[in-house]
Amino acid sequence: DNVDATSVLAHFGMHYDLVKDVREVADKKESMLLKDVTIYDKFFKIYLNPVFLHDSQEVLGVSITMEDVTFEREIEEIRETFTNMVVHELRAPLTSIKGASSMLLAGKLNPQDTEKMLHIVHDSTERMLMDIGDVLDVAKLEAGKFTLNKSSSNINNLVKEKALAFSFMAQERHVTLENHID
């Protein structure tokens, strides 16, 4: 089948007014780059370039080059989501460290609570280091250099650690934090 300019432009329809931009490129005799044009759930970069008659300034038409950037756009959204998750995951242990260290600096804790706060600082620091390790693992995964070492773990210990890490914040806000582990 022969495809003419009219049928190509008709496919853009209500999704994008290409005719307006083609006319502008022809009239101004200047190229145009359009980013993130959405057509039927896909994202495109569209390059519009005037086509001149030999070495003259007479415009014969406009060339249209479309680059499908849907995949790149999806990757960027995944990367942004990942970055937000990393920031969120680092904020929790930092909040625990800040709260515990503030209580320690106030100097009003009994020896048992002092030890508890030191454990919170230690465990939260460990958690941050693990999270940073995870970020580095993602970089290794993207580079094709990642290996996975599986090991057994105890979920009860994990729940106890997290409850302890947030206990000072709960106490400051007069919230009772309980965990019932089977």
Side-chain angles (χ1 to χ4, degrees), residues 7-178:
S7 63
V8 170
L9 293 176
H11 267 24
F12 284 89
M14 64 185 163
H15 299 284
Y16 167 61
D17 188 3
L18 183 63
V19 175
K20 176 183 74 70
D21 288 332
V22 167
R23 284 188 181 134
E24 185 177 331
V25 168
D27 291 343
K28 290 185 175 180
K29 300 178 182 179
E30 294 177 358
S31 297
M32 182 184 292
L33 168 62
L34 305 158
K35 297 180 181 179
D36 294 333
V37 175
T38 307
I39 302 170
Y40 297 114
D41 300 325
K42 295 241 181 214
F43 296 96
F44 292 91
K45 275 186 187 173
I46 299 180
Y47 302 88
L48 302 170
N49 295 296
V51 177
F52 297 100
L53 177 64
H54 302 292
D55 292 331
S56 73
Q57 285 295 308
E58 183 181 344
V59 176
L60 288 175
V62 175
S63 73
I64 303 169
T65 306
M66 297 174 62
E67 179 183 355
D68 186 343
V69 293
T70 306
F71 180 72
E72 290 83 354
R73 178 92 179 246
E74 290 170 352
I75 291 295
E76 186 58 37
E77 286 176 14
I78 290 169
R79 193 177 306 274
E80 190 175 310
T81 300
F82 175 75
T83 301
N84 290 336
M85 285 174 30
V86 168
V87 168
H88 176 76
E89 288 299 314
L90 292 176
R91 185 175 284 147
L94 276 172
T95 301
S96 296
I97 291 168
K98 181 180 179 198
S101 62
S102 294
M103 292 176 86
L104 287 166
L105 288 170
K108 298 177 183 177
L109 298 174
N110 62 43
Q112 184 181 359
D113 286 341
T114 297
E115 186 176 341
K116 191 177 183 182
M117 291 303 115
L118 288 172
H119 280 288
I120 288 172
V121 170
H122 178 268
D123 293 345
S124 295
T125 304
E126 290 244 337
R127 175 63 188 163
M128 285 181 61
L129 289 172
M130 285 176 39
D131 288 343
I132 290 168
D134 290 346
V135 171
L136 294 175
D137 287 346
V138 168
K140 287 179 189 174
L141 187 62
E142 287 179 342
K145 299 177 182 177
F146 182 77
T147 56
L148 186 62
N149 299 317
K150 295 180 183 179
S151 65
S152 297
S153 185
N154 185 328
I155 189 93
N156 292 343
N157 291 341
L158 181 63
V159 171
K160 286 177 189 174
E161 287 172 19
K162 296 305 166 193
L164 178 62
F166 287 100
S167 64
F168 83 91
M169 200 181 321
Q171 186 178 12
E172 278 184 347
R173 295 182 177 151
H174 307 291
V175 173
T176 303
L177 182 63
E178 297 179 6

